[in-house]
Amino acid sequence: MSSSPTSFGDYEFVSLEDETIPSDEDDTAKISVGSKPKHAAVKLIMAADSSEEGPQKHSKKKHHKKKKKKHKKKKKHSSSSSSSSSSSSSSSSSSSSCYSSSSPQKVEKKSSRDQISFPQLELSKNEFGDPSTVYFNEDHPLESFAHWSASKLKEAGHPEFSSLVIKAKGYTHKVPTKHGDYVYTTVIYDIPDDKIWDVLKLSDSLTYDRLTHELRSRCAGWRTNAAILYLALRLATGHITLEDARQRKVLEKMVSKAARNPDMAKKYSQKLAEIVLNAQ
């Protein structure tokens, strides 16, 4: 067998005339690469080590080489998948409106702020000016709210109200007609003990704190709240009874008028102010 070795690192390439594979007893370990054609077969041999442990060392090195190739393939696959995911995330983040593009989590939270809506906010701003406080909860957008303090309301010409709050989260009900409750309006009035339950029975939207004397109405807007609170204090002062109000459907009529007629809502608000300020 004639051969012309060509040096290549730690290996030599030997051109063989036949495809005879040496046995384990040979001094030099020869490992075939690829297919074994009859003519000009190329085999890889180790040039450095010809000891008895040669075949074992070479088999270990071959196993290590295969393992290394698998590792490279996995690494290449993971890098390509990570690059594709990063490119898709970057494209999605760039397509959405945001305050900062540095952090995808912040972008998602910030974009939720844009989606927060306060029904009746502009209408209330036209009447009372800018809110005293606007709170945005980016983790829970529906817990966001706008608040007008007593001093802010007094400056706007509404001393009858001690607080006005508009929440992003509303509650839908059908009394007197289907609508959503977003606006919370509060007055301070000491209701007699024998009138408290009648006042609360007037509407499910009314709540009363016996310690702070805060009577609060929750409805679709401050105008309808003014009508509800005015009727509630008329009941508390004995000007009307609960039975009479129910029979004549006074609440439904007043709420409807206040919602449709801004002048009627202001009239209810002024009458309410007279009762509240006279009790102070």
Side-chain angles (χ1 to χ4, degrees):
M1 176 178 65
S2 62
S3 62
S4 57
T6 303
S7 177
F8 186 79
D10 294 336
Y11 302 96
E12 289 180 353
F13 287 98
V14 181
S15 178
L16 303 178
E17 295 180 355
D18 55 21
E19 57 173 349
T20 306
I21 300 175
S23 63
D24 293 339
E25 295 178 356
D26 294 344
D27 294 333
T28 305
K30 301 178 182 178
I31 307 299
S32 62
V33 179
S35 61
K36 302 185 288 296
K38 290 184 178 181
H39 301 287
V42 180
K43 295 191 177 183
L44 184 64
I45 65 170
M46 292 192 66
D49 192 1
S50 60
S51 61
E52 295 181 357
E53 296 180 357
Q56 295 180 1
K57 285 186 178 182
H58 187 70
S59 62
K60 286 182 181 180
K61 192 160 187 176
K62 183 180 178 183
H63 178 70
H64 178 69
K65 193 173 182 180
K66 287 183 178 179
K67 195 171 181 181
K68 194 172 182 181
K69 283 184 179 179
K70 286 184 179 180
H71 179 69
K72 283 183 179 179
K73 286 183 180 180
K74 288 183 179 180
K75 191 173 181 181
K76 187 176 181 180
H77 179 68
S78 61
S79 63
S80 62
S81 61
S82 62
S83 63
S84 62
S85 62
S86 63
S87 62
S88 61
S89 63
S90 63
S91 62
S92 62
S93 63
S94 61
S95 61
S96 60
S97 60
C98 59
Y99 290 82
S100 173
S101 60
S102 59
S103 174
Q105 292 182 353
K106 288 184 178 180
V107 167
E108 186 178 352
K109 291 180 181 179
K110 293 284 187 180
S111 61
S112 65
R113 174 180 289 195
D114 296 334
Q115 299 172 4
I116 299 173
S117 63
F118 294 101
Q120 297 287 327
L121 179 60
E122 292 302 321
L123 183 64
S124 299
K125 286 173 69 175
N126 293 336
E127 185 68 25
F128 309 109
D130 292 331
S132 306
T133 305
V134 178
Y135 171 70
F136 291 99
N137 190 324
E138 295 175 358
D139 294 325
H140 305 282
L142 291 179
E143 294 182 5
S144 305
F145 63 86
H147 171 254
W148 284 261
S149 63
S151 59
K152 191 79 173 180
L153 294 168
K154 189 175 181 180
E155 291 175 3
H158 288 273
E160 69 277 14
F161 299 141
S162 63
S163 174
L164 178 70
V165 176
I166 301 178
K167 293 187 177 182
K169 182 178 181 180
Y171 296 91
T172 304
H173 63 97
K174 300 180 180 180
V175 181
T177 58
K178 187 175 180 180
H179 65 280
D181 290 351
Y182 298 91
V183 183
Y184 299 74
T185 310
T186 306
V187 298
I188 297 177
Y189 189 86
D190 188 2
I191 301 175
D193 292 342
D194 60 336
K195 297 291 184 180
I196 292 176
W197 295 116
D198 286 345
V199 169
L200 296 178
K201 288 177 183 178
L202 182 66
S203 173
D204 292 337
S205 297
L206 287 168
T207 59
Y208 181 66
D209 191 325
R210 300 180 66 180
L211 182 62
T212 61
H213 303 155
E214 291 178 324
L215 178 65
R216 187 184 69 177
S217 175
R218 181 190 67 207
C219 201
W222 74 268
R223 293 173 177 172
T224 51
N225 278 337
I228 296 171
L229 291 170
Y230 172 53
L231 181 59
L233 292 192
R234 279 183 60 83
L235 196 153
T237 55
H239 288 84
I240 191 173
T241 63
L242 179 62
E243 291 76 13
D244 189 22
R246 285 179 172 176
Q247 287 177 1
R248 295 192 290 129
K249 295 184 177 181
V250 178
L251 179 65
E252 290 83 349
K253 293 177 181 178
M254 291 179 62
V255 168
S256 179
K257 289 179 181 179
R260 296 178 181 180
N261 191 343
D263 293 334
M264 188 59 69
K266 288 185 178 181
K267 182 179 179 180
Y268 291 148
S269 180
Q270 291 170 0
K271 293 291 185 181
L272 176 64
E274 292 177 5
I275 299 175
V276 172
L277 296 177
N278 288 337
Q280 291 179 356

